[in-house]
Amino acid sequence: MIVSHHWLKAFVPHALSAEQVGELLSRHCVTLDGLRATRADLAPFVVGLVVERAPHPDSDRLSITKVDDGSGTLLDVVCGAPNVTAGVKYPFIRVGSTMPDGLRIERRKIRGLVSNGMLCSATELRLGFESDGILVLATDAAPGTPLLDVLEAGDVQLDLDVLPNRPDLLCALGVAREVSALTGVPLQMPDELPLPALPPTVRGEREASADGVTIRIEPDGGCRRFVGIVIRGVRIGEAPAWLRTRLESVGSRSISNVVDATNYGALGLARPTHAFDLATLRGATLVVRGARAGERLVTLDGVERALVEGGITVCDAERPVAIAGVFGGAETEVGEHTVDILLEAADWEPRAVRRTRRALGLSTDASYRFERGVDEAFTPEGAARVAGLITALAGGTITAVIEVGRAPAPRADVVLRPARLARLLGQEVARAEIVHRLQSIGCGVRDGEGEALVVTPPSWRHDLGLEVDLVEEVARLRGFDILPDALAPQRPSRAPDDPLVVIGRRVRDACVSAGLLETKAMPFTSHGDATTPRVRNPLAEDEPYLRARILDTLAGRAEYNLARMQGDVRLFEIGHVFGASTGRLPQEALHAGALLLGARRPAHFTEPEPPPFDAWDAKALAASMARAAWPGEAVTFDPVDEGDVLWRVRVGEGDAARDVGHVSHVPLDRPVWAAEAFGVELVLGRVSSDDVAPHGAHAHGVAARDEARRHLQLQVPLTMPAAEFDLALLVPAGVTAAAIEALLRRDGGELLEAVRIFDEYRGDGLPAGTRSLAWRLRFRHPERTLRDKELEGRRAKLVAALTTELGVTLRA
Amino acid sequence: MTLDEFLARAAELERDGLARIADAHDAAALDDARITLLGRKQGALTALMSALPTLPPEARRDAGAASNRVKGALEQALDARLAALRAAAAPSWRPLDPTMPARATWRGALHPVTLVIDEIAAIFRELGFTIALGPEAETEWYNFGALNFPPDHPAMELHDTLYLGDDTLLRTHTSPVQVRALQAIAPPVRILAPGTVYRRDFFDATHAPAFAQVEGMAVDEGISFADLKATLSEFARRFYGRTRRVRFGPSYFPFVEPGAQMDVEVDLGDGKGLRWVEILGCGLMHPRVLEAAGLDSERYTGWAFGMGPARIAMSRHGINDIRLLYDSDVRVLAQFAP
């Protein structure tokens, strides 16, 4: 929202600079996004003193002058103005600079003499008035002083970040009210905006007529009140310079005296109005009603638009003539031949305008203000002032004022307890100051019961409806910075860390210590089916789905890296994933995903080509991630043959064991030089999106806390020497290492301390379909040294069991 | 054999034996030498000793002493030589060229946004806050309704929303976690809720459709705007440095009243020096939010804030394109390894 410094001053004649006003507003009212001088194009101009003047030898009109521009060298300048005089100062522009019209000043010869720059007239500076010849500067400033320092030229635009709660600030008047409240300088209606003498208002609930003009509101018209003012005998022409400047100062374009007057209403007063050419309104009638399917209208921008059912429209006796609250129609607009005007100032229902505007995809200054809420109590006065401006600029007579509908109900009072205000702000504020602050923004304040104040908010402040709203007003007008900020004692929070956060952090640390890089990526994907949760209005039509696995995202990120010739990719992410919904919302869970691709270690001169990551690395990573997530629980791997999945990861023992994820091969779109990728996906827990309690109710719950503990029973290392033997086994197809290990552990006896595979061999010398597995078994007695002989029986028993139960024999 | 002959043979054995030991250039040769010289069955010393009974009894004492001396000398020489050979055979632990690079392992790293969130969380933990989370797919009620967004109001346009269904969406801010925490447990509650939020913004240098936000909330009896200022100012000083100036100005979020923003005077490292930068939005919790969660807004008051850790990460690390944070280029991520 752009506000002009000059326009503000017309409403509140303060003595502050634009910077000071901006700072004041920023600290107390609305964020200032920036300041911009409208005449930045005058920056190259300086004060130039004509030291000598002589007639040009080859011309009667031209003079040759010597100009002091403060540079220390007198410049030869040829000038055509009749009023150029030695000893006088003028605006001067040097060679190499650019004029407001875009002309670049070059050193050039004029009738044989070189001119180094130019002395300028008011017209050339576009100052909005004319000077007789070049502009005489009555200033004491030294030559070379920037022109903008000595000349009141241009305006400053304040760019304010007006948020939806403060539509009253969407005009010069509204911002001026705040400046008045903050500076104490009284607000005034400027002389440029006269309140004209009006004929008596003709009123009606649904319909009223006067001076041959009828206005009617239909129940579906989305209109609370419609004020129509008939002005007859106007002469359309150009707007005067002051009005053009006003509109241009906020970035609006001048059109004509009448249209500019209505725009003054919209931008200066937040009172949008529309002027119809009365002669073009069939039946001299306006009807406000819901739009019907099939209706069309050419709007002021010359575009034919289809009206949408559910939207609202203004019609004459036969057809739509405007899109209510949004845009006028081209056929009924005011033009150069217009003589009689019907000025519309209506109070549209914000939601009706919003609906209409959205359906049309067309936002205007008017719709923007109506949607956020205009000051409906001000509508008759605002309309009258716009009408007054029209008659002042275009002549004519106001012949009728018609008002259909109802005036807004008076604002409800709000009770403010100063003690409550003190509790909320943490600081007592004197009752007199509270009253004064609220009055300064237009509130009516009177004493209520006990200490309470009864406050009537002003009609333009829709955001003041609760006690706390008034507390905010007092706080911001005084300034938040004067409130105390000492840390106070507090009761401890009843909420422990969310268990999922705690689990996630442990897994995160495990991944980082494994050398993985954490990613955050857009969780959208192109894979999905009818049950996959999807975004209705996705940013990219090819990625409408929400991911079901972190590995979907990581695979995409790995391919991104491969495309950039990065072949060593170790990524992990802990984030939310989504599954088919069982109720209103998708099933949501916190997952940890990790992807391994490329060298297992960085290359070193001792190992120029480290081996690539393989499935065993992924299995190990999964184990350490799972142990971190569920400390103290057994982690096991079930081999599976499901597409790319290699193992399901299970946690817990026996019947309590549960599936928590998988280790898989990750198929990638990869160049030939890239290695295979392997991944881990673990489900850390479900994220509930159920309602905590019914709306407006409390669950009175107890917060869950992470209870996972690993309180192991320490095994004291035994000091007696161990005895070992190896078994080189011939293993038929179909017999797993796990089955062999289970048997060895079952029958190994209580002295068996460790079992491990130290070699696997397949190939020459073995019967087809078999492999050789070499195991080492370590035994230890807690109290004495074991002799090898003692193990011989055990060894024979194990071999016998292996042979009879599994068909595994000793390798010859 | 006479004593002189015996002594001469002993001296010869000692001389030859020492020479042989000195010639042994590896452990096997030395082992051979030990067996040849001192072996119990066929060793040279054993052979010499076997001559002892042939000596006259009066000479045997001197001869025995001589052979013992030779045996001791040879054993000592064998041990010394073995130690020398072992020392020579052991690989040197000192690198030949110590300027060669170290053997590296892959170094893992947290994401820069996580690092910022961790730092924020650590400070709020010191101030008595714990960490909460909530779902990213939400109902309109938790995302807007309970947070006092008027239905069909322009305030909704502050949030360009990705919808899943008629009244379900991807949360546009972490504030729904406030409502869930308020509803779940009776005050006092102080939580920090970092999480991913979604906006219908095209992925460009300054916008990401999914990005991180950190929400904070404190609710109890007797909490005031002064508590908000005290806590957030303290946070800012711990996060940015003791000497940083902090100020609060007006702002608007439907779920707080009064609404404010906190600016901190920071140096963004762009050579422009200290300047005021908006760090977070905050305010006292709107009574309607407390009531939506079934709490008595006369009894309980609270405050809340929200901030964007990605923006902080960007200004901190000189990142001018937000996509660098989310593209996951390993050359970017690896720079954040400790």
Side-chain angles (χ1 to χ4, degrees):
Chain A
M1 165 71 193
I2 305 285
V3 185
S4 134
H5 181 51
H6 286 175
W7 207 345
L8 277 184
K9 278 169 99 165
F11 285 97
V12 49
H14 62 80
L16 303 176
S17 69
E19 287 78 9
Q20 289 169 317
V21 172
E23 177 65 12
L24 200 59
L25 290 170
S26 227
R27 302 314 308 136
H28 297 281
C29 172
V30 55
T31 302
L32 176 75
D33 280 346
L35 291 171
R36 202 179 71 83
T38 56
R39 292 310 309 272
D41 57 341
L42 293 184
F45 290 86
V46 296
V47 173
L49 171 67
V50 174
V51 180
E52 289 174 19
R53 179 206 160 264
H56 192 290
D58 294 341
S59 166
D60 298 339
R61 277 189 317 108
L62 299 176
S63 307
I64 50 170
T65 65
K66 289 206 178 288
V67 173
D68 177 0
D69 71 341
S71 63
T73 312
L74 292 184
L75 300 171
D76 291 319
V77 175
V78 178
C79 177
N83 66 330
V84 61
T85 310
V88 178
K89 293 168 185 167
Y90 305 97
F92 177 72
I93 185 165
R94 296 173 178 132
V95 167
S97 301
T98 305
M99 294 287 289
D101 63 3
L103 179 75
R104 194 177 154 82
I105 300 298
E106 310 279 4
R107 160 198 289 257
R108 62 188 181 107
K109 276 191 176 176
I110 302 174
R111 298 263 173 113
L113 288 174
V114 172
S115 185
N116 299 289
M118 186 168 143
L119 296 161
C120 302
S121 69
T123 311
E124 284 161 337
L125 296 177
R126 298 192 171 180
L127 291 179
F129 59 91
E130 295 192 358
S131 55
D132 216 0
I134 51 177
L135 179 65
V136 175
L137 298 175
T139 173
D140 296 334
T145 306
L147 181 68
L148 283 172
D149 289 358
V150 301
L151 190 73
E152 174 82 10
D155 196 349
V156 181
Q157 295 181 334
L158 293 92
D159 187 359
L160 303 175
D161 185 17
V162 176
L163 294 167
N165 62 324
R166 292 297 304 272
D168 62 301
L169 297 178
L170 296 172
C171 64
L173 168 65
V175 178
R177 281 191 191 111
E178 285 288 332
V179 175
S180 169
L182 291 166
T183 57
V185 177
L187 190 78
Q188 63 181 28
M189 273 293 174
D191 295 339
E192 66 202 28
L193 208 57
L195 195 57
L198 298 173
T201 302
V202 178
R203 292 193 164 82
E205 182 94 349
R206 302 234 69 92
E207 182 175 325
S209 304
D211 191 23
V213 175
T214 300
I215 295 171
R216 189 166 76 245
I217 300 180
E218 298 290 352
D220 64 350
C223 185
R224 294 161 176 166
R225 171 157 71 164
F226 194 115
V227 176
I229 298 183
V230 182
I231 308 170
R232 295 191 185 270
V234 298
R235 284 185 57 181
I236 305 299
E238 269 194 17
W242 71 265
L243 180 54
R244 289 205 305 270
T245 306
R246 285 268 181 270
L247 296 181
E248 283 162 10
S249 72
V250 296
S252 186
R253 196 167 48 89
S254 173
I255 293 168
S256 69
N257 47 8
V258 170
V259 174
D260 287 9
T262 64
N263 284 337
Y264 190 113
L267 304 172
L269 309 172
R271 176 61 261 176
T273 58
H274 181 68
F276 290 98
D277 182 339
L278 188 51
T280 64
L281 294 178
R282 295 177 192 164
T285 295
L286 285 184
V287 180
V288 176
R289 61 165 171 79
R292 291 163 195 158
E295 288 183 320
R296 303 186 77 79
L297 174 69
V298 178
T299 45
L300 287 173
D301 54 358
V303 177
E304 184 175 315
R305 297 173 194 275
L307 303 188
V308 192
E309 236 179 321
I312 49 176
T313 178
V314 182
C315 306
D316 62 13
E318 298 172 10
R319 62 198 170 141
V321 293
I323 299 169
V326 183
F327 219 1
E331 281 184 47
T332 53
E333 78 174 303
V334 170
E336 55 182 314
H337 303 299
T338 300
V339 178
D340 298 334
I341 288 171
L342 175 55
L343 182 72
E344 164 208 316
D347 297 336
W348 304 106
E349 283 173 12
R351 286 181 195 179
V353 173
R354 186 169 155 81
R355 213 162 49 232
T356 309
R357 187 269 298 169
R358 292 178 91 172
L360 285 167
L362 181 73
S363 182
T364 61
D365 285 336
S367 70
Y368 195 83
R369 285 161 179 76
F370 283 124
E371 276 186 58
R372 283 157 180 76
V374 296
D375 179 2
E376 296 185 352
F378 179 72
T379 305
E381 182 186 334
R385 287 195 186 269
V386 171
L389 188 53
I390 289 174
T391 54
L393 302 178
T397 313
I398 300 173
T399 58
V401 179
I402 305 164
E403 192 179 316
V404 183
R406 283 188 185 164
R411 291 296 301 271
D413 290 337
V414 181
V415 173
L416 174 63
R417 296 160 295 171
R420 174 78 175 166
L421 179 142
R423 273 205 305 282
L424 288 173
L425 297 184
Q427 187 182 52
E428 298 269 348
V429 180
R431 186 183 174 84
E433 180 171 6
I434 296 174
V435 172
H436 160 71
R437 292 290 184 187
L438 292 175
Q439 284 173 340
S440 77
I441 54 161
C443 289
V445 185
R446 58 182 202 276
D447 288 334
E449 268 179 52
E451 287 295 304
L453 296 167
V454 177
V455 181
T456 311
S459 57
W460 55 87
R461 290 297 301 274
H462 307 292
D463 57 323
L464 304 183
L466 299 173
E467 184 180 40
V468 69
D469 299 329
L470 301 176
V471 172
E472 174 176 74
E473 293 304 301
V474 174
R476 73 168 177 94
L477 289 166
R478 298 175 78 233
F480 292 116
D481 287 331
I482 64 171
L483 289 173
D485 66 353
L487 281 169
Q490 62 188 43
R491 299 196 289 171
S493 174
R494 272 192 228 272
D497 277 351
D498 189 299
L500 281 182
V501 172
V502 182
I503 293 174
R505 207 158 33 213
R506 286 196 300 254
V507 175
R508 193 183 92 173
D509 292 349
C511 290
V512 171
S513 25
L516 272 65
L517 304 170
E518 188 191 15
T519 69
K520 287 182 182 292
M522 300 303 112
F524 306 107
T525 165
S526 55
H527 327 296
D529 57 34
T531 63
T532 313
R534 58 173 290 162
V535 176
R536 260 194 190 180
N537 52 341
L539 283 156
E541 283 299 336
D542 57 336
E543 286 197 336
Y545 297 105
L546 298 180
R547 64 178 175 189
R549 280 168 302 276
I550 303 275
L551 278 175
D552 288 352
T553 305
L554 295 184
R557 294 300 93 202
E559 285 169 357
Y560 176 93
N561 277 288
L562 290 175
R564 281 155 188 76
M565 307 301 288
Q566 299 303 306
D568 293 330
V569 182
R570 305 164 316 282
L571 300 175
F572 80 97
E573 185 186 343
I574 294 170
H576 293 227
V577 302
F578 307 86
S581 67
T582 51
R584 262 187 314 176
L585 287 165
Q587 293 279 320
E588 198 165 329
L590 186 70
H591 277 204
L595 180 140
L596 297 173
L597 162 66
R600 198 178 291 166
R601 294 178 285 278
H604 188 246
F605 64 90
T606 56
E607 188 185 33
E609 281 185 25
F613 284 116
D614 60 19
W616 305 110
D617 294 302
K619 191 180 183 189
L621 178 63
S624 67
M625 288 167 70
R627 280 196 299 267
W630 300 281
E633 295 203 62
V635 177
T636 51
F637 291 84
D638 281 1
V640 288
D641 191 6
E642 302 165 5
D644 293 303
V645 177
L646 298 164
W647 292 279
R648 306 225 130 261
V649 184
R650 293 174 68 77
V651 159
E653 280 176 284
D655 294 342
R658 61 201 187 275
D659 210 328
V660 295
H662 64 258
V663 180
S664 68
H665 170 252
V666 181
L668 292 181
D669 185 5
R670 66 194 170 103
V672 286
W673 49 264
E676 294 283 354
F678 295 90
V680 179
E681 180 98 21
L682 295 184
V683 185
L684 301 185
R686 175 173 178 259
V687 178
S688 170
S689 48
D690 300 341
D691 284 3
V692 176
H695 300 177
H698 199 273
H700 301 288
V702 178
R705 196 161 177 282
D706 176 60
E707 301 291 348
R709 298 291 179 274
R710 181 167 179 256
H711 292 162
L712 60 81
Q713 292 299 303
L714 187 76
Q715 303 287 315
V716 177
L718 299 175
T719 50
M720 304 312 289
E724 294 180 341
F725 63 77
D726 294 346
L727 291 174
L729 301 177
L730 194 60
V731 182
V735 176
T736 64
I740 296 172
E741 181 174 336
L743 188 150
L744 293 175
R745 288 189 184 281
R746 187 193 70 198
D747 292 352
E750 60 181 9
L751 301 182
L752 178 64
E753 187 178 79
V755 175
R756 85 183 159 91
I757 300 174
F758 66 90
D759 192 27
E760 184 190 32
Y761 175 77
R762 294 165 193 268
D764 288 350
L766 296 182
T770 65
R771 59 179 170 151
S772 164
L773 282 180
W775 299 77
R776 180 157 297 164
L777 285 72
R778 191 171 72 227
F779 296 79
R780 200 189 299 266
H781 194 284
E783 281 145 16
R784 60 180 176 80
T785 302
L786 277 179
R787 281 172 296 126
D788 289 348
K789 266 189 186 166
E790 291 179 74
L791 299 178
E792 276 167 19
R794 180 65 61 193
R795 187 174 194 275
K797 196 178 154 197
L798 287 172
V799 172
L802 284 168
T803 307
T804 53
E805 292 185 32
L806 299 174
V808 172
T809 54
L810 278 181
R811 189 178 165 196
Chain B
M1 187 181 284
T2 65
L3 178 61
D4 286 347
E5 281 172 348
F6 187 89
L7 292 178
R9 278 182 62 187
E12 185 188 357
L13 172 60
E14 183 178 4
R15 189 179 64 246
D16 291 353
L18 288 176
R20 177 152 187 185
I21 289 166
D23 282 351
H25 288 295
D26 56 35
L30 194 63
D31 221 34
D32 283 350
R34 181 187 294 274
I35 291 162
T36 313
L37 296 170
L38 301 178
R40 239 175 239 180
K41 290 175 181 168
Q42 282 138 14
L45 188 69
T46 306
L48 182 65
M49 299 282 275
S50 68
L52 266 182
T54 65
L55 288 181
E58 66 281 9
R60 287 182 196 165
R61 200 166 144 244
D62 287 349
S67 56
N68 278 340
R69 197 185 51 71
V70 170
K71 184 183 180 193
L74 290 176
E75 279 177 342
Q76 202 181 348
L78 280 165
D79 288 352
R81 183 65 188 152
L82 183 63
L85 282 176
R86 275 192 183 150
S92 171
W93 48 263
R94 185 177 294 281
L96 282 174
D97 179 356
T99 66
M100 303 275 270
R103 180 178 291 119
T105 53
W106 293 127
R107 291 189 303 151
L110 291 175
H111 192 273
V113 172
T114 301
L115 293 172
V116 172
I117 291 173
D118 277 6
E119 219 176 292
I120 293 168
I123 293 170
F124 277 98
R125 209 169 258 297
E126 293 164 1
L127 296 169
F129 288 69
T130 52
I131 314 297
L133 63 71
E136 291 171 8
E138 268 292 9
T139 61
E140 218 167 24
W141 190 76
Y142 275 107
N143 196 74
F144 290 128
L147 291 162
N148 193 38
F149 278 78
D152 203 19
H153 186 271
M156 304 276 280
E157 278 162 29
L158 297 173
H159 296 230
D160 220 341
T161 308
L162 290 166
Y163 277 92
L164 299 173
D166 288 338
D167 59 353
T168 54
L169 44 80
L170 290 171
R171 67 179 179 189
T172 58
H173 48 180
T174 38
S175 306
V177 184
Q178 269 186 42
V179 185
R180 290 182 175 275
L182 282 175
Q183 267 192 313
I185 324 151
V189 171
R190 281 175 160 75
I191 54 156
L192 195 75
T196 306
V197 302
Y198 299 81
R199 297 281 171 94
R200 198 170 187 283
D201 282 329
F202 285 95
F203 204 11
D204 62 23
T206 53
H207 298 89
F211 57 98
Q213 199 173 63
V214 176
E215 187 88 4
M217 171 187 89
V219 59
D220 197 359
E221 294 173 24
I223 283 197
S224 72
F225 203 92
D227 291 308
L228 174 159
K229 274 191 68 179
T231 312
L232 293 180
S233 303
E234 186 59 26
F235 159 72
R237 286 189 290 263
R238 291 189 194 184
F239 191 80
Y240 287 103
R242 272 286 134 202
T243 55
R244 286 286 171 270
R245 291 199 296 161
V246 176
R247 70 179 188 185
F248 289 81
S251 191
Y252 165 70
F253 309 93
F255 40 100
V256 289
E257 192 82 37
Q261 66 179 51
M262 182 175 83
D263 305 340
V264 182
E265 210 175 20
V266 292
D267 186 342
L268 295 178
D270 53 6
K272 292 182 186 164
L274 285 176
R275 103 188 69 150
W276 289 107
V277 175
E278 182 190 342
I279 298 300
L280 53 83
C282 56
L284 288 187
M285 295 178 82
H286 199 287
R288 289 202 188 113
V289 175
L290 292 161
E291 283 152 21
L295 293 172
D296 177 357
S297 66
E298 276 292 308
R299 180 176 169 195
Y300 294 113
T301 49
W303 57 266
F305 75 92
M307 64 193 296
R311 300 246 169 261
I312 294 173
M314 289 172 75
S315 68
R316 172 180 285 188
H317 300 295
I319 298 169
N320 55 15
D321 187 330
I322 201 169
R323 287 170 292 198
L324 284 169
L325 287 178
Y326 298 114
D327 279 343
S328 314
D329 188 316
V330 292
R331 294 166 298 179
V332 171
L333 299 176
Q335 293 180 46
F336 295 95

